[in-house]
Every structure is written in structure tokens, then in C-alpha cells.
Amino acid sequence: RSLSERFDRDHRELGELRPDLERRIEARTLDLQASNVLLAEASRTDALTGLLNRRGFLEKGEAEIERSRRSGKPLCVVMADVDHFKGFNDTHGHDIGDQVLKLVAARLAEAGGGAEAFRYGGEEFCMLFRDKTLKEALPYLEHTRAAVERYKMAIRSDERARHQDGGMRSRGDSV
């Protein structure tokens, strides 16, 4: 065969493969785009609490400040932390400390008043109240603070059974 014939044959074969290759490239591109969206979201989300993290707060905060400036409506920004958390964490351990942070995050996320909660870092949290002054946000903040304070958290001993039936036996309940 001549070089020209081999070239023509190879060109035809490549032409036949092209639609399949284009479909595969398009599918892979869509997969990568979806992965990038998930990665971007993960980079703004606190893995422990599920709240947006500091990066998410800064991005959202900048947008909300600009929105507030344009609209002339108020924006209340609140910073909060868990009092005496370091000592609590040192005494009871990081696993229990993590449970406390999850509890606080859940209560902040339920604050009401249009608030959006963020984990700023460690035991520090932020909240944004769109279209609210501090005076308007205070009742929601006080309600949330009181809900955290009232929550009865029990720290279980390491010897306590991990499963319901064992825990019931250790308390003398019937199984």
C-alpha cells in the first residue's frame, strides 16, 4: 500500500472515532465541573458543624455589606464565642468539645429572624441578620443564648455501655 492509502485509511478511522471521543470528553468535562462545584462548596463549609466557615462568612459578608449599602437597609453582624471552651475541652476532651460545638452551631442555625450562622474558627461563630438592626436582632440572640444555656448535656463515663440494651441494663431498666 502506498503512504497515501494508509493516510486516507487512518484519517477515516480517526473520523469514525471522533464522535465517541467528543462524547467522552464532554462527559468527563461535566464530571469535572460537578466535582469543582462540590470542592468549592466544601472549601466554604465547616466539616464539623456543617455551617459555612470563615471563607464562606467573608464571601457572604462582603456581598451582604454591598447589598446593604445599595439598598440602604441595615445589616447586623454578630460575633459570638463559647465561654470557657478551652478549659472545658482540656478537661473533657476534644470529642466532647466537638459535641458542644455541634450543639451551639445547631442552635445558632435555628436562631430565627432571618439569621445566617457561620463557624468563624475554633469556638467562634458569626451571624448575619439581613435587614435587621442590632436592637431588632437582640431578641433572637437572647433566645438562642438561653436555648444553649438550658440545654442539658450529659457527659457519660467511659464505662457506660454504648448500646441501648447495655445502657438500659447498667441503669437497671428491663430490656
Side-chain angles (χ1 to χ4, degrees):
R1 290 180 148 171
S2 73
L3 184 59
S4 173
E5 290 172 334
R6 281 190 298 187
F7 178 79
D8 287 343
R9 185 197 69 220
D10 291 347
H11 187 264
R12 274 192 313 278
E13 288 175 2
L14 285 174
E16 292 168 4
L17 293 174
R18 184 178 178 154
D20 181 53
L21 288 173
E22 287 176 350
R23 279 191 299 275
R24 291 170 60 187
I25 289 170
E26 184 177 344
R28 184 68 180 134
T29 299
L30 292 173
D31 288 345
L32 288 171
Q33 288 171 339
S35 294
N36 285 338
V37 167
L38 293 174
L39 284 171
E41 185 62 30
S43 75
R44 290 187 299 274
T45 303
D46 178 64
L48 178 66
T49 64
L51 297 178
L52 289 179
N53 62 19
R54 180 188 303 219
R55 175 183 285 173
F57 169 71
L58 294 174
E59 289 174 3
K60 182 79 172 207
E62 284 181 27
E64 289 299 325
I65 288 169
E66 184 56 35
R67 185 200 61 80
S68 177
R69 283 186 182 137
R70 279 193 323 270
S71 70
K73 294 182 179 180
L75 173 67
C76 180
V77 180
V78 177
M79 297 280 303
D81 74 348
V82 179
D83 289 343
H84 314 292
F85 183 75
K86 183 183 180 333
F88 181 91
N89 213 27
D90 290 346
T91 300
H92 298 288
H94 294 281
D95 289 341
I96 302 295
D98 286 352
Q99 295 303 312
V100 169
L101 293 174
K102 288 181 193 179
L103 162 73
V104 171
R107 295 302 176 268
L108 292 175
E110 299 167 350
E116 186 169 2
F118 305 83
R119 183 170 180 205
Y120 195 73
E123 76 277 11
E124 297 173 320
F125 295 88
C126 297
M127 297 175 76
L128 294 176
F129 286 86
R130 289 179 78 179
D131 304 332
K132 298 254 185 304
T133 63
L134 178 58
K135 185 177 180 179
E136 293 168 325
L138 276 174
Y140 299 102
L141 294 167
E142 177 54 28
H143 177 78
T144 302
R145 186 206 58 76
V148 171
E149 181 180 60
R150 283 191 310 268
Y151 189 85
K152 301 296 181 204
M153 178 175 261
I155 300 173
R156 298 182 175 127
S157 81
D158 290 338
E159 292 82 39
R160 185 170 185 269
R162 299 246 182 239
H163 301 288
Q164 182 178 6
D165 58 344
M168 292 170 69
R169 273 196 291 280
S170 70
R171 291 189 304 273
D173 298 340
S174 60
V175 178

